[in-house]
Amino acid sequence: QVQLVESGGGLVQAGGSLRLSCAASRSIFSTYRMAWYRQAPGKQREFVASITSGGSLNYADSVKGRLTISRDNTGNTVYLQMNNLKPEETGVYYCYADHHNWGQGTQVTVSS
């Protein structure tokens, strides 16, 4: 088990940017796949982006070219750089680590 803590959420205008951070309780990137999910009000949680221990990237089609997942060299932190944000992307963003480890979520609100 690993503990995950998200930060960096907040209020931003449409077209603006935010960078989310996910801090792990220990170095995990050698064995864990990391991902970001989000949940809009009244909707199901959906996949946003992921990075494997080997560095392979995967993105939801809706965020390609605007959102970037990355990790630091310590293996303790994963990031989600979000550019040109849209109001429909408002929701709670969750950090995830294989297998079945979830952060508490951080709120992102995009105003128009």
Side-chain angles (χ1 to χ4, degrees):
Q1 186 177 340
V2 61
Q3 285 71 54
L4 305 171
V5 180
E6 302 97 332
S7 62
L11 176 65
V12 65
Q13 286 191 273
S17 298
L18 285 174
R19 190 174 81 154
L20 306 183
S21 298
C22 173
S25 57
R26 57 182 174 86
S27 182
I28 60 173
F29 292 164
S30 62
T31 55
Y32 285 74
R33 169 184 173 270
M34 303 292 296
W36 287 95
Y37 289 76
R38 66 189 177 195
Q39 188 167 18
K43 310 205 76 172
Q44 294 184 7
R45 189 173 300 184
E46 66 176 354
F47 170 80
V48 176
S50 67
I51 183 168
T52 70
S53 59
S56 296
L57 307 175
N58 187 230
Y59 295 96
D61 287 342
S62 62
V63 308
K64 288 179 179 176
R66 297 186 300 109
L67 275 62
T68 304
I69 188 171
S70 62
R71 63 193 182 194
D72 69 5
N73 293 327
T74 69
N76 282 269
T77 307
V78 65
Y79 305 95
L80 184 67
Q81 178 65 48
M82 305 188 293
N83 297 327
N84 194 22
L85 283 162
K86 304 174 181 180
E88 58 264 35
E89 294 179 302
T90 290
V92 179
Y93 284 67
Y94 296 91
C95 183
Y96 172 83
D98 283 350
H99 295 273
H100 313 294
N101 298 284
W102 293 92
Q104 84 289 349
T106 185
Q107 176 70 40
V108 171
T109 303
V110 185
S111 64
S112 59

